[in-house]
DNA sequence: TTATGAATTATGTATAGACATATTAGGCGA
DNA sequence: TCGCCTAATATGTCTATACATAATTCATAA
């Protein structure tokens, strides 16, 4: 049998991760949870404290307990937000949409993402101070993120938009070095064969896939930084 | 003023991170800590529970509380252990020492590591099934790891040895793509200009620097995998 | 009208006590 | 000697209570 405080914690965490509770929403007061689960305040507190320390919720005296906004800082390599990183170092950021297509999943890669559902396929370029920095090819699972269909990605990059809108629970990055080729080399204004940093990333919310993206960076102009503290 | 339970937790965590308490050592029983800090058992328990959940200690009824062994699995990109990864995928691993030097720190990079103390400078090659996979240049701070002086690195790679011997608390990785050049290209048997994956890593124990390493991988043969769960 | 201060409210920390559970040590009988 | 039962022991969970702290509301006084 699971301890009471852990059941309460899991319930709330699931509501947040599933999206039933959105950032900014208020979680019931401790005395409300006491009544709801028929437990003492110490037990409710023991359930909420780890969620607070884990950064999932925010607690304010007199005001109550609220769902936190997803953390967007991350020097750490969880999900690099290119737009954020470029503006953070004082350069001007711009995203240019190269292609846009909405269709049923019809390749292995697309079916891995969306089963037999619909997929949004985009390509685009990230600019830092008018210089092309990264070429990106992205697939978005429209089952998981239906709102994506009505967003204008000529104005904002899909990665930046997704980070703010969809909470993710799991990411996998594959990082490799590859020579610049064909269209990608042209877009990045690099000679064929120039060393590029390639990041292939897949994200999940729970067991549901959200997006698949390949980003190709000019190897000389960009480096990933991953910083870790031992748990 | 810091809460009591946090002071107790910090004290114990510091003793573990500094090496004063080693893996396997027993931490005082709850009733001993009660007396030592003049607090109730709930407070001691509140101090120890997060250390348990964080994997730093292990608690067994009747037996007591013990310092955990450091986790060495890590699909995650904390500290990739090349030897471990190669053998894990069924290939034969070999390390070849190319150069070995022991001297006082005399470059900026070496002084950043060891101040005015002594440094062990190594270069070597990692082989996967007789094929060179990575070239590595490593500096070890002998103030932090004096035992390194008496280890035979022709037989085992310094990275693998360090992981087992020295507990680290913090790592910073910089990952970039660069063309193969000069000696490095020769050692890896690559043409000049081939895309390589370069990892620059610095590790700390507390505020003390342990090692600095640059690893250059054949971009086509190696990829880093970084997998994350949202906290 | 504005500044001040007191009451209210929700969380933060800590206590003492109680019972539960897992594990081990020791004693007892076959 | 071996197996089994029971004691003892350390951690696990939970309650009821108390006082502290931060933030807000609201009444009161200048």
């Amino acid at each position: 049998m699971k301890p009471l405080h852990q059941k309460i914690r899991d319930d709330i965490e699931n509501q947040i991760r599933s999206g039933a509770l959105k950032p900014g929403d208020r979680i019931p007061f401790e005395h409300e949870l006491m009544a709801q689960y028929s437990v003492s305040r110490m037990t409710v507190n023991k359930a909420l404290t780890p969620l607070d320390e884990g950064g999932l919720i925010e607690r304010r005296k007199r005001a109550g307990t609220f769902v936190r906004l997803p953390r967007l800082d991350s020097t750490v390599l969880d999900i690099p937000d290119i737009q954020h990183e470029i503006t953070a170092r004082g350069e001007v950021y711009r995203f240019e949409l190269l292609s846009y297509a909405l269709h049923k999943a019809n390749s292995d890669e697309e079916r891995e993402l969306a089963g037999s559902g619909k997929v949004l396929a985009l390509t685009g370029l990230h600019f830092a101070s008018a210089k092309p920095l990264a070429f990106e090819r992205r697939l978005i699972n429209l089952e998981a993120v239906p709102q994506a269909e009505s967003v204008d990605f000529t104005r904002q990059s899909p990665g930046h938009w997704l980070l703010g809108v969809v909470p993710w629970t799991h990411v996998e990055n594959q990082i490799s070095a590859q020579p610049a080729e064909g269209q990608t080399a042209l877009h990045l204004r690099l000679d064929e064969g120039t060393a590029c940093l390639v990041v292939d990333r897949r994200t999940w919310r729970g067991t549901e896939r959200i997006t698949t993206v390949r980003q190709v960076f000019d190897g000389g102009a960009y480096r990933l930084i991953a910083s870790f503290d031992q748990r």
Side-chain angles (χ1 to χ4, degrees), chain A residues 26-82:
Chain A
R26 214 200 79 230
I27 285 172
F29 297 124
E30 291 191 347
H31 71 262
E32 291 173 323
L33 291 170
M34 284 172 68
Q36 192 174 319
Y37 287 96
S38 300
V39 296
S40 72
R41 191 164 81 89
M42 277 300 292
T43 303
V44 172
N45 194 274
K46 189 166 185 175
L48 295 180
T49 299
L51 294 176
D52 186 20
E53 290 179 354
L56 220 64
I57 60 174
E58 184 184 352
R59 318 198 73 193
R60 289 202 303 276
K61 292 176 185 182
R62 175 71 209 242
T65 302
F66 303 86
V67 179
R68 264 245 172 97
L69 295 166
R71 3 196 317 158
L72 207 58
D73 40 20
S74 71
T75 317
V76 176
L77 178 82
D78 31 25
I79 291 196
D81 181 357
I82 297 176

Side-chain angles (χ1 to χ4, degrees), chain A residues 16 39 90 100 154 187:
Chain A
I16 295 175
V39 296
Y100 181 103
T154 58
H187 284 306

Side-chain angles (χ1 to χ4, degrees), chain A residues 6-211:
Chain A
Q6 200 173 324
K7 159 143 188 61
I8 301 173
R9 193 197 311 184
D10 290 352
D11 281 359
I12 293 172
E13 183 162 352
N14 285 335
Q15 285 173 38
I16 295 175
R17 301 242 187 252
S18 71
L21 283 171
K22 282 185 274 292
D25 285 359
R26 214 200 79 230
I27 285 172
F29 297 124
E30 291 191 347
H31 71 262
E32 291 173 323
L33 291 170
M34 284 172 68
Q36 192 174 319
Y37 287 96
S38 300
V39 296
S40 72
R41 191 164 81 89
M42 277 300 292
T43 303
V44 172
N45 194 274
K46 189 166 185 175
L48 295 180
T49 299
L51 294 176
D52 186 20
E53 290 179 354
L56 220 64
I57 60 174
E58 184 184 352
R59 318 198 73 193
R60 289 202 303 276
K61 292 176 185 182
R62 175 71 209 242
T65 302
F66 303 86
V67 179
R68 264 245 172 97
L69 295 166
R71 3 196 317 158
L72 207 58
D73 40 20
S74 71
T75 317
V76 176
L77 178 82
D78 31 25
I79 291 196
D81 181 357
I82 297 176
Q83 174 168 350
H84 179 257
E85 289 182 19
I86 289 174
T87 53
R89 65 184 188 211
E91 295 192 78
V92 177
Y93 173 83
R94 185 168 64 85
F95 178 76
E96 185 181 310
L97 187 68
L98 296 173
S99 75
Y100 181 103
L102 196 159
H103 53 252
K104 285 216 187 311
N106 59 16
S107 68
D108 283 351
E109 190 182 21
E110 290 175 356
R111 276 189 292 273
E112 185 271 335
L113 176 69
S116 57
K118 283 201 290 185
V119 163
L120 194 57
L122 309 166
T123 60
L125 273 174
H126 300 268
F127 288 83
S129 302
K131 196 173 161 311
L133 180 75
F135 172 82
E136 143 169 353
R137 176 173 171 283
R138 184 182 290 270
L139 301 173
I140 299 174
N141 178 5
L142 279 176
E143 300 281 325
V145 201
Q147 323 89 293
E149 200 173 335
S150 54
V151 175
D152 178 10
F153 289 119
T154 58
R155 300 181 57 90
Q156 58 183 328
S157 83
H160 186 69
W161 177 80
L162 279 169
L163 269 181
V165 172
V166 184
W168 55 274
T169 59
H170 184 76
V171 199
E172 274 178 28
N173 297 283
Q174 286 199 352
I175 304 152
S176 58
Q178 292 175 25
E181 288 174 332
Q183 285 297 310
T184 307
L186 272 177
H187 284 306
L188 293 175
R189 300 176 199 161
L190 297 173
D191 296 331
E192 287 268 333
T194 305
C196 288
L197 191 65
V198 178
V199 178
D200 288 293
R201 179 181 311 127
R202 299 184 297 161
T203 63
W204 283 256
R205 179 171 63 186
T207 55
E208 187 177 49
R209 291 279 280 101
I210 299 174
T211 187

